Amino acid sequence: MRRTTPVGPPAPDAPLASLADLKADLGISDASQDARLALLLQDASSMALVYVGRPLIDRAWCDVIELGCEARQSDLVLGRYPVSAVTGLTIGATALDADAVAALPVNPDAGIVYPPDSGHPRCWRAARYVVTYRAGYTLDSVAADGTAMRGTLPASIQRAVRLTAAALWHATGRDPLLKSESEQGVGSTSWDTSAAATGGMPQAAADILDAYRPAGVA
């Protein structure tokens, strides 16, 4: 059994794509629509997070993992990933020192902590494990000295958010599910029925984000 809880300050409530990149996608060169586009980016980011079904931005977490009697596991699977650092591990009443924690083998992309290399046999035994760690992607930022800091959020996630924001921009003033229409007496009107399954995002954006959904989420 595993219980995952956030620790400390929340992740920043910032859009998952840049305003400048969205404006470039839309061919907008002035600042007259910046406020509106910023709101659309925030909406698109929220839609992406709901669709993915897990937090994406870096923050601190604590997992309590209970391994029952006679349990022996080759790994501890954490509740959040990618893992940027394991900061603490307590096994029962014993807390590992900083050097032992730093030496733990970790698969950061999968959020898996393996037993120490010195363990014989190499497995986690029945106990209560408390793991503190940081997990998630970082956003682009600017350091105190003005230096631009490149974040780790994948470009594909940013692209999916911009696709969604662009779709929201183009859908203003019309039914967002409207796919095509024609003049009266000439043709017919049809709607895109895929929007409900993707949380209202374009299918292309959902296809990109599928790679970041936890296993078993459909």
Side-chain angles (χ1 to χ4, degrees), residues 30-211:
D30 61 57
S32 62
Q33 299 295 329
D34 281 8
R36 181 181 167 207
L37 291 172
L39 289 174
L40 293 180
L41 270 178
Q42 196 66 56
D43 288 345
S45 299
S46 297
M47 294 167 71
L49 288 171
V50 169
Y51 184 77
V52 169
R54 65 181 179 91
L56 291 175
I57 301 305
D58 177 74
R59 70 166 302 173
W61 298 91
C62 177
D63 279 16
V64 178
I65 302 172
E66 304 273 2
L67 297 186
C69 296
E70 307 301 326
R72 295 176 64 176
Q73 290 186 193
S74 61
D75 52 51
L76 296 177
V77 180
L78 303 178
R80 300 289 180 260
Y81 58 93
V83 174
S84 56
V86 175
T87 56
L89 174 60
T90 299
I91 305 173
T94 304
L96 274 63
D97 62 36
D99 289 340
V101 171
L104 287 170
V106 178
N107 179 334
D109 292 333
I112 294 175
V113 181
Y114 299 101
D117 290 333
S118 58
H120 299 290
R122 287 190 60 190
C123 62
W124 300 111
R125 297 180 180 275
R128 182 176 187 267
Y129 295 83
V130 180
V131 189
T132 54
Y133 60 101
R134 295 198 67 90
Y137 303 106
T138 58
L139 300 170
D140 292 349
S141 61
V142 178
D145 62 0
T147 303
M149 308 288 289
R150 177 66 67 181
T152 61
L153 185 69
S156 54
I157 293 178
Q158 298 179 52
R159 175 62 176 160
V161 170
R162 298 201 315 271
L163 283 172
T164 302
L168 294 173
W169 168 267
H170 290 303
T172 301
R174 67 173 177 84
D175 186 336
L177 300 185
L178 185 63
K179 184 167 60 177
S180 64
E181 61 182 350
S182 58
E183 294 183 9
Q184 184 176 2
V186 177
S188 61
T189 302
S190 63
W191 281 264
D192 185 352
T193 58
S194 67
T198 63
M201 295 187 304
Q203 187 62 53
D207 290 344
I208 292 171
L209 294 176
D210 280 340

